[in-house]
Short mmCIF file of all heavy atoms in Angstrom, two decimals:
data_model
loop_
_atom_site.label_atom_id
_atom_site.label_comp_id
_atom_site.label_asym_id
_atom_site.label_seq_id
_atom_site.Cartn_x
_atom_site.Cartn_y
_atom_site.Cartn_z
N SER A 222 1.04 4.80 -9.33
CA SER A 222 2.26 4.78 -10.14
C SER A 222 3.45 4.14 -9.45
O SER A 222 4.53 4.05 -10.05
CB SER A 222 2.62 6.23 -10.54
OG SER A 222 2.76 7.05 -9.38
N ALA A 223 3.33 3.68 -8.22
CA ALA A 223 4.46 3.07 -7.51
C ALA A 223 4.84 1.73 -8.14
O ALA A 223 3.98 0.92 -8.48
CB ALA A 223 4.13 2.87 -6.04
N ARG A 224 6.14 1.52 -8.33
CA ARG A 224 6.69 0.27 -8.85
C ARG A 224 7.94 -0.06 -8.05
O ARG A 224 8.71 0.85 -7.67
CB ARG A 224 7.08 0.41 -10.33
CG ARG A 224 5.97 0.86 -11.27
CD ARG A 224 4.96 -0.26 -11.51
NE ARG A 224 4.02 0.10 -12.56
CZ ARG A 224 2.90 0.79 -12.36
NH1 ARG A 224 2.59 1.24 -11.14
NH2 ARG A 224 2.08 1.04 -13.37
N GLY A 225 8.20 -1.34 -7.79
CA GLY A 225 9.37 -1.67 -7.00
C GLY A 225 9.88 -3.08 -7.25
O GLY A 225 9.22 -3.91 -7.90
N LEU A 226 11.08 -3.33 -6.75
CA LEU A 226 11.73 -4.63 -6.83
C LEU A 226 11.98 -5.15 -5.43
O LEU A 226 12.30 -4.38 -4.51
CB LEU A 226 13.06 -4.52 -7.58
CG LEU A 226 12.99 -4.02 -9.02
CD1 LEU A 226 14.40 -3.86 -9.58
CD2 LEU A 226 12.17 -4.97 -9.89
N VAL A 227 11.87 -6.47 -5.26
CA VAL A 227 12.04 -7.11 -3.97
C VAL A 227 13.42 -7.76 -3.90
O VAL A 227 13.80 -8.52 -4.80
CB VAL A 227 10.97 -8.20 -3.75
CG1 VAL A 227 11.11 -8.82 -2.37
CG2 VAL A 227 9.57 -7.63 -3.96
N PHE A 228 14.14 -7.47 -2.83
CA PHE A 228 15.45 -8.08 -2.58
C PHE A 228 15.49 -8.63 -1.15
O PHE A 228 14.83 -8.11 -0.25
CB PHE A 228 16.58 -7.05 -2.71
CG PHE A 228 16.74 -6.46 -4.08
CD1 PHE A 228 16.07 -5.29 -4.43
CD2 PHE A 228 17.56 -7.06 -5.02
CE1 PHE A 228 16.22 -4.74 -5.69
CE2 PHE A 228 17.70 -6.52 -6.29
CZ PHE A 228 17.04 -5.35 -6.63
N ALA A 229 16.28 -9.67 -0.96
CA ALA A 229 16.57 -10.10 0.40
C ALA A 229 17.32 -8.99 1.13
O ALA A 229 17.93 -8.11 0.50
CB ALA A 229 17.40 -11.38 0.38
N LYS A 230 17.28 -9.02 2.46
CA LYS A 230 17.98 -7.99 3.23
C LYS A 230 19.45 -7.93 2.84
O LYS A 230 20.14 -8.94 2.83
CB LYS A 230 17.86 -8.29 4.72
CG LYS A 230 16.52 -7.92 5.32
CD LYS A 230 16.38 -8.35 6.76
CE LYS A 230 17.54 -8.01 7.62
NZ LYS A 230 17.31 -8.34 9.05
N GLY A 231 19.90 -6.73 2.49
CA GLY A 231 21.30 -6.51 2.15
C GLY A 231 21.70 -6.95 0.77
O GLY A 231 22.87 -6.84 0.40
N ALA A 232 20.73 -7.43 -0.04
CA ALA A 232 21.08 -7.98 -1.35
C ALA A 232 20.87 -7.03 -2.51
O ALA A 232 21.24 -7.35 -3.65
CB ALA A 232 20.28 -9.26 -1.61
N ALA A 233 20.30 -5.86 -2.27
CA ALA A 233 20.10 -4.91 -3.37
C ALA A 233 21.46 -4.39 -3.83
O ALA A 233 22.25 -3.91 -3.02
CB ALA A 233 19.22 -3.76 -2.93
N PRO A 234 21.77 -4.49 -5.11
CA PRO A 234 23.09 -4.02 -5.58
C PRO A 234 23.19 -2.51 -5.46
O PRO A 234 22.19 -1.78 -5.56
CB PRO A 234 23.13 -4.47 -7.04
CG PRO A 234 21.71 -4.67 -7.43
CD PRO A 234 20.98 -5.08 -6.20
N PRO A 235 24.39 -1.99 -5.24
CA PRO A 235 24.58 -0.55 -5.08
C PRO A 235 24.07 0.27 -6.26
O PRO A 235 23.69 1.43 -6.10
CB PRO A 235 26.10 -0.40 -4.90
CG PRO A 235 26.55 -1.72 -4.38
CD PRO A 235 25.65 -2.74 -5.02
N ARG A 236 24.04 -0.34 -7.45
CA ARG A 236 23.63 0.42 -8.63
C ARG A 236 22.11 0.41 -8.85
O ARG A 236 21.63 0.97 -9.83
CB ARG A 236 24.30 -0.15 -9.87
CG ARG A 236 23.91 -1.58 -10.23
CD ARG A 236 24.74 -2.12 -11.38
NE ARG A 236 24.34 -3.47 -11.77
CZ ARG A 236 23.43 -3.75 -12.70
NH1 ARG A 236 22.84 -2.74 -13.35
NH2 ARG A 236 23.13 -4.99 -13.00
N ALA A 237 21.35 -0.19 -7.92
CA ALA A 237 19.92 -0.36 -8.14
C ALA A 237 19.19 0.97 -8.26
O ALA A 237 18.36 1.16 -9.17
CB ALA A 237 19.31 -1.20 -7.02
N ILE A 238 19.48 1.90 -7.37
CA ILE A 238 18.78 3.19 -7.42
C ILE A 238 19.08 3.91 -8.73
O ILE A 238 18.17 4.43 -9.40
CB ILE A 238 19.17 4.06 -6.21
CG1 ILE A 238 18.54 3.46 -4.93
CG2 ILE A 238 18.73 5.50 -6.40
CD1 ILE A 238 18.90 4.19 -3.66
N ALA A 239 20.33 3.91 -9.14
CA ALA A 239 20.70 4.55 -10.41
C ALA A 239 20.05 3.85 -11.59
O ALA A 239 19.61 4.50 -12.55
CB ALA A 239 22.22 4.56 -10.57
#
Side-chain angles (χ1 to χ4, degrees):
S222 56
R224 304 286 189 274
L226 300 175
V227 183
F228 296 92
K230 282 175 47 175
R236 64 187 182 91
I238 289 177

